Amino acid sequence: MVKNIMIVGVGGQGALLASKTLGKVLLDAGFDVKVSEVHGMSQRGGSVVTYVRYGQKVYSPIIDEGEADFIVSFEQLEAARYTRYLKKDGQIVVNTQEIDPMPVITGAAKYPENLIEKMQNEGFRVDSVDCLTLAEKAGTAKAVNIVLMGRLSKYLEFSESQWLSAIEKLVKPAFLEMNKKAFIEGRQ
């Protein structure tokens, strides 16, 4: 059986490191893993989508609508944009942060209100957490991505030590302890 996880966010938030961390945990656990990244306008604050698929044998890195077991989102609007990809019994893990897209910045649109509540009212299972505050508590706002991985880890069958081992292999030594703290904050 293949599991599908979408990581969605805005360019510069660390979605690629999050997907690499998740991929490393999965590879180290012996799964076949496929990761596909869609950068688009990510360098300019645009949408970033990463597909992570794992199982005994995975043939394609792409997740189609209605196939995602999880959507992990760095930001509320990005979570709402991709709900059509979630399975009926899927789980959304979302940072409560709101990042204005270009139409909002220019005044052409307004950021939608109550997105988490709206997703829940549509029947989606939503685990929302203030990842920015938890990352700052761990020592750096840049660790929102690792806080999100900590939160996701609560839903997956891998041990804390497996996750921390992957983080140790991917994060620069100068930032390692802060990222370990961020991961643990996300798991609570």
Side-chain angles (χ1 to χ4, degrees):
M1 175 181 228
V2 173
K3 292 282 191 177
N4 302 301
I5 301 170
M6 287 181 69
I7 300 173
V8 299
V10 175
Q13 289 187 290
L16 300 181
L17 177 59
S19 66
K20 287 178 183 177
T21 302
L22 175 58
K24 184 68 176 146
V25 169
L26 299 170
L27 281 171
D28 288 351
F31 288 99
D32 184 22
V33 180
K34 300 287 188 275
V35 177
S36 176
E37 301 159 353
V38 180
H39 298 278
M41 296 293 289
S42 61
Q43 295 84 351
R44 294 184 179 90
S47 215
V48 175
V49 180
T50 303
Y51 304 109
V52 179
R53 302 187 73 218
Y54 71 100
Q56 293 308 316
K57 185 66 183 158
V58 179
Y59 295 98
S60 168
I62 304 301
I63 299 171
D64 289 323
E65 289 185 19
E67 289 186 346
D69 296 286
F70 296 93
I71 293 176
V72 179
S73 182
F74 283 73
E75 194 273 334
Q76 293 182 47
L77 185 56
E78 293 300 318
R81 281 185 185 161
Y82 290 97
T83 56
R84 69 185 183 279
Y85 284 87
L86 199 63
K87 287 181 177 178
K88 287 191 187 281
D89 60 344
Q91 176 71 51
I92 298 171
V93 177
V94 60
N95 179 14
T96 57
Q97 190 172 2
E98 296 178 5
I99 298 176
D100 292 339
M102 194 53 66
V104 173
I105 291 169
T106 63
K110 218 177 133 188
Y111 195 96
E113 295 181 4
N114 306 314
L115 283 172
I116 291 171
E117 184 178 297
K118 287 177 183 175
M119 287 185 285
Q120 290 169 331
N121 290 341
E122 290 176 26
F124 295 108
R125 295 182 330 166
V126 181
D127 180 1
S128 60
V129 62
D130 183 351
C131 295
L132 180 58
T133 296
L134 294 176
E136 289 170 341
K137 183 177 175 185
T140 178
K142 292 182 179 184
V144 165
N145 54 354
I146 301 299
V147 172
L148 271 170
M149 290 299 95
R151 193 56 158 214
L152 174 65
S153 75
K154 294 174 66 169
Y155 297 97
L156 301 176
E157 64 271 12
F158 310 105
S159 71
E160 184 175 301
S161 63
Q162 286 174 292
W163 284 91
L164 292 174
S165 174
I167 291 167
E168 287 173 0
K169 293 172 185 170
L170 295 170
V171 173
K172 294 179 182 176
F175 305 107
L176 185 56
E177 287 311 309
M178 283 187 286
N179 279 279
K180 284 181 174 181
K181 286 179 189 175
F183 176 80
I184 291 167
E185 289 290 337
R187 277 184 71 93
Q188 297 180 18

